[in-house]
Amino acid sequence: MNKYMDIVRLGHKTTVGVLNEGDHIVIQEKLDGANASFKREGNDIIAFSRNTQLSSENNLRGFYEWTQTLDATNLLEGVIYFGEWLVKHKLDYGNNMNQFYLFDIYNEYSQDYEKFSIVKFESVRLNLNLIPVFYEGEYKSFEHLESFIGKTELGVNEGEGIVVKNINYQDRYGKQLFVKLVSDSFREVQKQKAPKDPNYTSEEQAAVKSVLTKARVEKMIYKLVDENVLDERFGIEDMGTILKQLGNRLYDDIVKEEYEAIKNYEEKEVRRVIGKSLPPIVKSVIQEKEAA
């Protein structure tokens, strides 16, 4: 299977040069659901979560069954249809829940994501929901991008953020790269205020806690749900499972997305701070979920 690319936070060192004045870009709503995909294989349709091929036993909360209602002979061969399966995470999408929204098509021959005009054409031809598009045209400015953050065409209240795609950009390794900007409530990196706790004095703790945010932990918990590791009705009784599963995942996620913040500290110390800081964050996520 081909996993969907990691969408990188705009401002990360790897995003320098991704967006330049005059570049043709697409600004899409970033949906808070489960990453899902499907493809044609002969006259069959095979479906995937972000990390796993799906089946009737591991169905990504109904997504597998939905893909089996499609006509395989209508699908293009040699491509993967990527989208978001809207299931309950943090945001409420009302009547749009349990629907698939197409956002990209990956060409397995060229090993690139197709132009958005092809994605739009396929969404119409196959009668698929298309990801909400806020803007398509020349890149203007960072301030222009910011004006779309928090907007939503599907959610009940605010949106999670936006994904910005310059399909023609390639990094020095020849890889495409898309970027994201998220609203305050979904921000995974926050400015860390000076600690008030006298025991909270080390630079390592400040650095790790600046990226070990509630939003990041919550995102990883719901990935456990999407992967069938955790029941969607998880509660305080699942704390042990969550903590056991998240330690390594969070460390890897932080190294991948925010290496600059922790590069000066020993891995052992970073993992220790994660382990010590994680339980109260997980507890807060569970309490907020149960109170909703």
Side-chain angles (χ1 to χ4, degrees), residues 73-76 81 120-128:
T73 61
N74 283 339
L75 303 183
L76 297 176
Y81 295 86
K120 288 189 289 186
F121 179 84
E122 281 296 278
S123 72
V124 174
R125 188 179 72 85
L126 298 173
N127 195 28
L128 299 174

Side-chain angles (χ1 to χ4, degrees), residues 51-108:
N51 296 308
T52 309
Q53 183 171 337
L54 301 175
S55 64
S56 56
E57 289 75 31
N58 181 21
N59 65 359
L60 190 59
R61 296 196 258 179
F63 173 69
Y64 172 80
E65 284 78 6
W66 175 81
T67 63
Q68 302 311 296
T69 67
L70 303 174
D71 184 348
T73 61
N74 283 339
L75 303 183
L76 297 176
E77 295 188 272
V79 305
I80 304 172
Y81 295 86
F82 279 102
E84 202 82 359
W85 180 244
L86 283 193
V87 287
K88 182 72 167 110
H89 281 185
K90 185 177 179 66
L91 293 184
D92 182 2
Y93 289 104
N95 294 331
N96 301 303
M97 299 295 286
N98 299 310
Q99 294 190 48
F100 178 79
Y101 285 82
L102 180 70
F103 56 61
D104 258 319
I105 294 176
Y106 181 79
N107 189 312
E108 295 184 290

Side-chain angles (χ1 to χ4, degrees), residues 89-268:
H89 281 185
K90 185 177 179 66
L91 293 184
D92 182 2
Y93 289 104
N95 294 331
N96 301 303
M97 299 295 286
N98 299 310
Q99 294 190 48
F100 178 79
Y101 285 82
L102 180 70
F103 56 61
D104 258 319
I105 294 176
Y106 181 79
N107 189 312
E108 295 184 290
Y109 301 116
S110 66
Q111 298 186 353
D112 280 322
Y113 293 92
E114 297 283 9
K115 293 181 178 180
F116 195 61
S117 58
I118 294 177
V119 179
K120 288 189 289 186
F121 179 84
E122 281 296 278
S123 72
V124 174
R125 188 179 72 85
L126 298 173
N127 195 28
L128 299 174
N129 294 319
L130 182 68
I131 195 83
V133 177
F134 294 145
Y135 173 81
E136 185 173 3
E138 289 190 356
Y139 173 68
K140 297 179 179 180
S141 66
F142 178 75
E143 290 72 26
H144 181 239
L145 299 183
E146 286 187 307
S147 70
F148 297 101
I149 300 174
K151 291 186 177 181
T152 179
E153 290 187 8
L154 299 180
V156 174
N157 296 308
E158 72 167 336
E160 178 181 351
I162 60 174
V163 174
V164 187
K165 298 178 179 178
N166 176 4
I167 202 75
N168 295 318
Y169 173 82
Q170 292 185 336
D171 65 16
R172 58 179 176 169
Y173 304 107
K175 299 294 185 181
Q176 293 167 300
L177 180 65
F178 303 150
V179 297
K180 64 185 176 184
L181 294 85
V182 298
S183 60
D184 288 342
S185 58
F186 278 86
R187 201 174 305 280
E188 295 169 8
V189 179
Q190 301 168 345
K191 291 182 179 178
Q192 187 71 24
K193 295 181 180 180
K196 295 180 180 179
D197 184 340
N199 295 319
Y200 177 53
T201 56
S202 74
E203 290 184 4
E204 291 93 334
Q205 287 176 304
V208 173
K209 288 192 174 185
S210 71
V211 292
L212 183 67
T213 61
K214 184 178 177 182
R216 185 182 295 276
V217 172
E218 190 169 44
K219 175 188 73 174
M220 300 300 285
I221 290 175
Y222 279 109
K223 281 187 177 181
L224 295 180
V225 175
D226 295 340
E227 294 169 14
N228 241 18
V229 175
L230 192 66
D231 190 275
E232 62 181 303
R233 296 165 294 182
F234 65 87
I236 200 70
E237 67 277 6
D238 298 298
M239 277 280 290
T241 298
I242 295 171
L243 295 175
K244 182 179 179 180
Q245 290 287 334
L246 285 196
N248 287 333
R249 288 173 181 249
L250 280 166
Y251 175 79
D252 292 342
D253 191 62
I254 289 170
V255 168
K256 179 179 68 178
E257 295 202 358
E258 303 301 335
Y259 176 70
E260 289 296 315
I262 62 167
K263 68 178 183 179
N264 295 324
Y265 309 112
E266 295 288 336
E267 176 182 341
K268 182 178 179 180

